Amino acid sequence: MKNTFRLTASFAALASLAFARPAFADDHASASADAPPMSAQDLVTMPGLGSPTVTPDGNYALYYVRTTDQDTFDRSTTFYLQDLRDTGADPVEVDLGGSASSPVFTSDSWLYFLSDRPSYDADEDAASSTQVWRAALEGDGNVTGPMQVTDLPTDVHGFHVSPDAKRIAVFGDVRRDCPTFGCENDGTAHLPGPGTGRLYDGADGFYRHWDTWETPGTFSRVFAFHLEGGKAVGNGVAADGPNGKGALAGDTPTKPFGGGEEIAWAADSSGIYFSARQADGQEPMSTNVDIYWSALDGSAPTNLTEANAAYDNQPVPSPDGKWLAYTAMERPNYEADRLVIHLRNIATGETRALTEGFDRSFGSIAWTPDSKWIIGGAQDVLDTPAFKIDPKSGKVERLDLIKGNEARISGVTPIAGGRLLFTRNSIAGPSEMFLSEGWKQAEQLTDVGTSLMAARAPVTTKRFSFTGANGDTVWGQITKLQDHEGTMPAILYVHGGPQGSFNDGWSSRWNAKAVASQGYAVISVDFHGSTGYGQEFTDAINKDWGGKPLEDLQKGLAAALEMDAQIDGTKACAMGASYGGYMLNWIAGKWPDRFDCLVQHDGLFDMRSFYYSTEELWFPRWDFGGSYAEATEEYEKWNPVNYVDNWKTPMLVITGERDYRVPYSQGLQSFTALQERGIPSQLLVFPDENHWVLGRKNSLQWHNTVFDWLDRWLDDDSVEPTPDAEPIAAE
């Protein structure tokens, strides 16, 4: 491939298109014949849509668009107000007078949000602190305020205002022995001294998690305050109750990925439901998240799901106050078990599994305002559609909200009058906002990225299925330039998880459209272990990491090549991250003659050293049948290091030093193995990245490095270079 594919025009020239009314609402926008392909720069600077919030009367939606400067990569946020009664009207720009995030309208029609702007009475040299603010917003975009709501000694990470708008619950990192939201010396009290060392006790749970070293004794905690005149007053009441022996100690929301969906006020504002997992020596081996109830009277909270030793989360009370809906798994210590929607009768405590008979896993739930229906989101064969669920019978009906493929629908907000507001993205483009009337096919309301993508060379995605391992039907996708002339090399995409999917969705990291725009055919396969095909299919990878998944990848690549004669199977590279990176290491030893190159990101190389250095131990324990000591044979059966002598394929290794899920030493080990054998190889290390690459400049470097590596081995004019180095002689 030629580098000229990546030297495309700046999105700045298209700025006038970015927030106009949408010209179209499907994935098949036309583009001029000479439109430049999408570049890595385009991906990194693509505007992003924030989740909308709706006024209590359902008349307006406020959303934000985050843009990135083409030169500095600095980001800025602009808010817009859309009239939902007149969807043909242009959105109105809203100026909130400074930084703002997590906006939400409350029942009294105030707009609450987080901001790190200086307090009105703060000293000029005072450090910035994230607090809750509010403003009055009119339909013409006029803003009164903003006014500060909280003035607390530590940062507020999130909040919920009660349905009666008389109290506010905030959460943030607070020592467990601190009775208020923040105590003196919060940042240093955990250091035993006299040096800078942190002392961890084996009975306390995680010592590091995802990308952060734990602060002993500090957790994400929820405190509730009364609101008087729009200000939080008093010392607040801790939802987790008093400290002491037997007290609940754990993060709310759960870390590292939990958010506001794990906290909910009761419909009558009498208390709070929240999720937490007890932090103790068993925490790294347990998925036992429970839902608690706090009456906010200073007493210890009540564990509502204590009977279930598996995962319970996402408490959502019905608006009429009669029911608590939540999601739950059945099998303890299995993070990819099916999420079933449960209903709890708030008056009697009686609980039943509502969607037990529907073999899909629900990742989101929302009640309609009349409490008659639940809208749930679940993956289903490459899509993530919305489902309408009857809370009486448990009947589940898939909604048809989008012309063509549903792709990835999220953030569904039911509005009175049978309307649904939601966002939707696909491989074709990033998220846009849609409104469905009467739960029928929706109208696109925004044009954040649609026109920008239409100004780039069109890319198509075709779904296909084939007979995979065990004779099962397996699905995949082929993404390629629509008007490309001649053949194109193949890129086999391998998703992570492993219980995941490269479904029809937009990604700022593993973006099939960005890779395909370089002139490659990107082939992804949802191998055994993938989600969206029923729980039995997901479970099939258990104790079989390198078996059925590899067979599916081999058969899927062959099926794609047979289906599309334009793909040149004699020129092929494979790439993947996390489990996908594991599979690249596995392919290097078990399928060594197939690919011209490999791109391995944060992949597991040695299952023994991985087990003893990762943090969430429940994950390998479930997938391999126990600890390394208990199931040594199983770990070694699927251990890439045992087949390293078969390695011969050139490999680019990428890792982040702040990755504690698959510690970066795994990447160093694989790179050492490549060097020892004189196999052409490169190592890209990001000191400031975790399991993902999130920084804009880092992302641009990641993509350009990957594209250069693919060009090196797949370019029409390339010849196989000499090895990077001679093999390292063994002593």
Side-chain angles (χ1 to χ4, degrees), residues 31 53 87 193 247 304 331 375 409 425 502 663 685 711 715:
T53 178
T87 55
L304 301 181
R331 289 171 285 184
I375 306 299
I409 288 174
N425 65 63
F502 264 140
V685 180
D711 285 350
D715 188 81

Side-chain angles (χ1 to χ4, degrees), residues 155-177:
D155 286 339
V156 177
H157 293 169
F159 66 93
H160 283 289
V161 177
S162 61
D164 63 10
K166 294 181 179 179
R167 288 198 284 184
I168 184 172
V170 300
F171 59 87
D173 290 342
V174 179
R175 291 205 328 258
R176 187 59 183 90
D177 60 2

Side-chain angles (χ1 to χ4, degrees), residues 228-252:
E228 294 182 3
K231 289 187 175 293
V233 297
N235 291 326
V237 178
D240 54 3
N243 194 31
K245 186 177 181 180
L248 170 64
D251 290 308
T252 301

